[in-house]
Amino acid sequence: MIYQTRSTLIATALGGLVAVPACAQTFERAERNADFEPAFEEQFRAELVDSGVELSTETVASGLVHPWGIAILPGEDGYIVTERPGQLRHVSEDGTISEPISGVPEVMNERQGGLLDVKLAPDFAENRRIYMTYAKPLRGGRNATAAAFGTLSEDMSALEDVNEFFVQEPGSYSPMHFGSRVVFDEDGHVFVTTGEHFGEDERVFAQDLDKTYGKTVRFNLDGTIPDDNPFVDNGDAIPSIWSYGHRNVQGALVMDGTLWAIEHGPAGGDELNVIEAGANYGWPVVSYGQNYDGTPVGSGEPRQEGMEEPVYFWDPVIAPGDMIAYDGEMFGDWQGDLLIGSLNPGGIARLSLSDGRVQEEERILMDLGRVRDVTVDEDGSILAITDFENGEIIRITPAGSS
């Protein structure tokens, strides 16, 4: 990977457009943590390519404190951004950052916890509703992933009529692995992803249907539970559960009517999955990675009957943030490709797909560091937010475009 020089970084910080070659052919994957064979050829280490696209980056806004999620407001109204310590901000197109929007639920700002994702409702233009996820403080020092929706005031200074519709159960003492993406399908449902709070004593709950650790959950837009959720008739299960056996899902999207999710593995084993109703994705029984101390995970095997295979896995990891399927005109050759934020080693991973299988992988703009969220603006440019104490919104365009 060819990195920006110090001078180009300074130019970017000052708001200038910087052309950066998007080269992947010099990127070398590091040594693996585990030696598991993939279940099929396209599941692991797709060909690393250089798409030949030269990129320009522009800093839209800086000074955000550990931004976690970004939602694009319609027209020229700018963006709504979460800061993990608990602030929801409006950012105008010229980069002006508002005072904190009032009415946001109380959050637990500790380790990986805080105010996390934000998304506009599919019918935001009619009702100005936004959805948020966050680490909710509970009694006795416990916490849980929670989700709520509320109405954004016309002047974007306040959140009103807040309705908390999901609280993970049971509560945890661990401030880790909250998952926490929100995504909508086209049939009036909202999905929320969760994590399993990391510890060996709690991660096993990802397999338990009476707990919402390590799950995707599905609701109607009003927060009620759909009648066709897979476990609604199982008296021993929580009826909001859509899928289970996840570790820490921090990226999700609906593409062609199908829910896709990307989750953090341990040492190795980040996974891209197609999420099916009622399916078990294996954690912590199976994994393509291993524990951080080098010991095997669960059964010590990467697969087991009755548990879903990932579409793709990484070893070593990319530590995935959110992802988007590119839909725009600026990067025509990337249409339909997945763009995935990477926290470590950083930047953006681009995957091209064919018939649901990964064909190529490219690593771009790794010098951006911890990319927590990535999305596509209305003009087709790509927006990335960087998870730092002085976090930024970065606009990415083809070099030479206006």
Side-chain angles (χ1 to χ4, degrees), residues 5 70 89 150 167 233 244 267 276 283 340 365 388 396:
T5 64
I70 181 170
R89 306 269 189 180
V167 178
D233 296 325
Y244 64 109
E276 302 289 349
W283 182 260
I340 304 162
L365 299 177
F388 296 110
I396 303 162

Coordinates of all heavy atoms in Angstrom, one line a residue, residues 5 70 89 150 167 233 244 267 276 283 340 365 388 396:
T5 N 2.0 11.0 2.2 CA 3.1 11.6 3.0 C 2.5 12.6 4.0 O 1.4 12.9 4.1 CB 3.9 12.4 2.0 OG1 3.2 13.5 1.5 CG2 4.4 11.6 0.8
I70 N -22.9 7.3 11.2 CA -23.2 8.5 10.5 C -24.4 8.2 9.6 O -24.5 7.1 9.0 CB -22.0 9.0 9.6 CG1 -22.4 10.3 8.8 CG2 -21.5 7.9 8.7 CD1 -21.3 10.9 8.1
R89 N -24.8 14.6 17.1 CA -24.5 15.9 16.5 C -25.1 16.0 15.1 O -25.1 15.0 14.4 CB -22.9 16.1 16.4 CG -22.2 15.9 17.7 CD -22.0 17.1 18.5 NE -21.0 16.9 19.6 CZ -20.7 17.8 20.4 NH1 -21.2 19.1 20.3 NH2 -19.9 17.6 21.4
G150 N -36.7 8.0 17.9 CA -37.2 9.3 18.3 C -37.4 10.2 17.1 O -36.9 9.9 16.0
V167 N -33.9 -3.9 24.7 CA -32.8 -3.9 25.7 C -32.4 -5.3 25.8 O -33.1 -6.3 26.1 CB -33.3 -3.4 27.1 CG1 -32.2 -3.5 28.1 CG2 -33.8 -2.0 27.0
D233 N -43.0 -18.9 18.2 CA -43.8 -20.0 18.7 C -43.0 -20.9 19.7 O -43.5 -21.9 20.1 CB -44.4 -20.8 17.6 CG -45.4 -20.0 16.7 OD1 -46.1 -19.2 17.3 OD2 -45.4 -20.2 15.5
Y244 N -28.6 -16.4 15.5 CA -27.8 -16.5 16.7 C -26.5 -17.1 16.4 O -26.1 -17.5 15.3 CB -28.6 -17.3 17.8 CG -28.9 -18.7 17.5 CD1 -28.2 -19.8 18.2 CD2 -29.9 -19.1 16.6 CE1 -28.5 -21.1 18.0 CE2 -30.2 -20.4 16.4 CZ -29.5 -21.4 17.1 OH -29.8 -22.8 16.9
A267 N -8.6 -14.0 17.4 CA -7.4 -13.9 16.6 C -7.6 -14.6 15.3 O -7.4 -15.9 15.3 CB -6.2 -14.5 17.4
E276 N -29.7 -15.8 7.6 CA -31.0 -16.5 7.4 C -31.8 -16.6 8.7 O -31.2 -16.7 9.8 CB -30.8 -17.9 6.8 CG -30.0 -17.9 5.5 CD -30.7 -17.4 4.3 OE1 -31.9 -17.2 4.5 OE2 -30.1 -17.2 3.3
W283 N -20.7 -19.3 16.8 CA -19.9 -18.8 17.9 C -20.6 -19.2 19.3 O -21.8 -19.0 19.4 CB -19.7 -17.3 17.8 CG -18.8 -16.8 18.9 CD1 -19.2 -16.1 20.1 CD2 -17.4 -16.8 19.0 NE1 -18.2 -15.8 20.8 CE2 -17.0 -16.2 20.2 CE3 -16.4 -17.4 18.2 CZ2 -15.7 -16.1 20.6 CZ3 -15.1 -17.3 18.6 CH2 -14.7 -16.6 19.8
I340 N -16.0 -2.0 3.2 CA -16.0 -2.3 4.6 C -15.0 -1.5 5.4 O -13.8 -1.5 5.1 CB -15.7 -3.8 4.8 CG1 -16.7 -4.7 4.0 CG2 -15.7 -4.2 6.3 CD1 -16.2 -6.1 3.7
L365 N -6.8 3.2 1.1 CA -6.7 4.3 2.1 C -6.4 3.8 3.5 O -7.0 4.2 4.5 CB -8.0 5.1 2.0 CG -8.3 5.8 0.7 CD1 -9.6 6.6 0.8 CD2 -7.2 6.8 0.3
F388 N -11.4 8.2 16.4 CA -10.3 8.7 17.2 C -10.8 9.8 18.1 O -12.0 10.2 18.0 CB -9.2 9.3 16.3 CG -8.5 8.3 15.4 CD1 -8.7 8.4 14.0 CD2 -7.6 7.4 15.9 CE1 -8.0 7.5 13.2 CE2 -7.0 6.5 15.1 CZ -7.2 6.5 13.7
I396 N -14.5 10.8 0.0 CA -13.6 10.1 -1.0 C -14.2 10.1 -2.3 O -15.4 9.8 -2.5 CB -13.4 8.6 -0.5 CG1 -12.8 8.5 0.9 CG2 -12.5 7.9 -1.5 CD1 -13.0 7.2 1.5

